[in-house]
Amino acid sequence: MHKSRSLKTEILLRLAIPLIFFMSIETVLSYFVTLHHVNVAYDRWLLDSARSLTEGIKVRDGNIWVELPPAALDIFKWDELDKTYFKIISEEKGMLAGDKFVPEPLAQKMNGLSPLYFNDEMYNEPVRVVSILITHHETPEKIFVHVAETLNKRRGMMIDILLADLVPQLVLMLLVGVYLLAGVKRGLQPLHVLADEIAQRTPRDLRPIPEQHVFLEVRALTDTINDLLDRLAQAIVTQERFITNAAHQLRTPLAGLKLQAERALREQDVTAMKPALVQIQGCADRMSHLTTQLLILARSEPINGGYELRQLDLCTLAKKTCMDWVPKALQRQMDLSFEGFEQPLYVQGDDVLLRELLANLLDNAICYGREHGNIVVKVERYPVPILIVEDDGPGIPKLEMDRIFERFYRIPGSSGDGCGLGLAIVKEIADLHQARLELNRVSDTGGTRFGLFFERS
Ligand SMILES: Nc1ncnc2c1ncn2[C@@H]1O[C@H](COP(=O)(O)OP(=O)(O)O)[C@@H](O)[C@H]1O
Ligand SMILES: [Mg+2]
């Protein structure tokens, strides 16, 4: 058996994989967007602190020095989370105040008046630096203020924003997952109910599956199963009828056999036994015929599939079967002839079953036809391959024409020791070949004509 995949897992996987994928992309994107906004916010503060330092830069008579008011220096102390460093340098005099390790941008980048922000490292710690260029009206010299700040506040804010974004998403995903799982479980529940219902049935319970359990999607399946159940029920009915009929038919000759055997046993000498023995022989013949017929019928039941349709030549088959029946026809002084062609006429059929069909028709024609009469077997090509068996006997009354195909039906008062299965078999075999069986009266003689039309071949 193939290992079946669970529908639940399948649905969840199909939802979870794209969900996780889109969530990852969204997280990466929102990381960069957040980073940008956090930087914009904190960079403004950083610039403010750099600007506040510029107020302490004094220039007189070409001398530049720095006098930082305590308020300005407080900015660099108050912050508990981050360390802030600064450096003020002049182009010519160099370092004016601050920490000399504050990183500087490459000189060529600092050519405008707008502040320049960049990331760097200081004391082995990553820092964000702002550099501004100051010009003083009393000196042409360029003065640079660099302020560096460690990144703890920025990181803290990043984490806060990302968490605020990510946590609800994760919770949402979890809720969706749980909800879906419950939904799928609830959705599949009717299938389990259905399986339980079918499992609890007895093998004889072939009622159709009720439709109230069923989803539209599963409907096609249950419809097919119901169809199968229906056909199965029909096949069982047919088989049961067959078995009952067969049992009944076999019991009668068996009872006869027993009776005659008892009769024979009561006699003392062989001559007196003879009539009973003859009866026994007749009974045994009938039983053997009946058994063969029953077996053929069982074989031709569509449910047993004991047949195989192959391409075969109808002419050869008919001719050979006729030859087998000539001696029997001669016993009743009947003339059995065959009209066919030399070239083969192919049809799709089962050799054994078609021979049996023709044998049954010939047996009837010989049995119920006129003594010294004629029986003709014909094979025709047009419009479809046709097999015809014709006799010049008394024919079959119109009223009986339908009933004679029923199993075990014989026209009351029929001669011979048939059991009424012959034409039922003929009909069954014709159906298997999807061939049309036609029964007519021969117009000039009033005899019987059976025609088998191979419409599918
Ligand atoms: N060629 C025929 N001519 C006249 N009657 C026929 C012919 N073939 C069949 N019948 C009638 O049809 C009945 C059913 O035939 P069949 O099914 O072969 O059963 P069985 O031959 O065992 O009686 C026969 O009892 C017979 O009365
Ligand atoms: Mg018969």
Side-chain angles (χ1 to χ4, degrees), residues 360 363-364 368 422:
N360 276 304
D363 184 48
N364 283 351
Y368 309 116

Side-chain angles (χ1 to χ4, degrees), residues 363-394:
D363 184 48
N364 283 351
I366 294 170
C367 185
Y368 309 116
R370 185 169 58 85
E371 211 159 330
H372 303 287
N374 296 296
I375 300 168
V376 186
V377 175
K378 288 187 218 171
V379 171
E380 286 179 8
R381 267 175 205 277
Y382 297 106
V384 290
I386 314 170
L387 175 68
I388 297 167
V389 179
E390 217 175 80
D391 64 56
D392 52 1

Side-chain angles (χ1 to χ4, degrees), residues 289 293 360-361 363-365 367-369 391 393-396 404-406 409-411 414-415 417-424 448 450:
H289 176 68
Q293 299 275 69
N360 276 304
L361 292 179
D363 184 48
N364 283 351
C367 185
Y368 309 116
D391 64 56
I396 295 167
I404 51 167
F405 292 104
E406 286 173 19
Y409 182 77
R410 308 192 69 205
I411 296 177
S414 290
S415 57
D417 47 20
C419 52
L421 277 178
L423 288 178
T448 311
F450 283 98

Side-chain angles (χ1 to χ4, degrees), residues 101 103 119-127 129:
F101 291 112
N119 293 329
D120 210 317
E121 257 191 28
M122 194 179 158
Y123 299 126
N124 292 327
E125 242 186 306
V127 285
V129 188

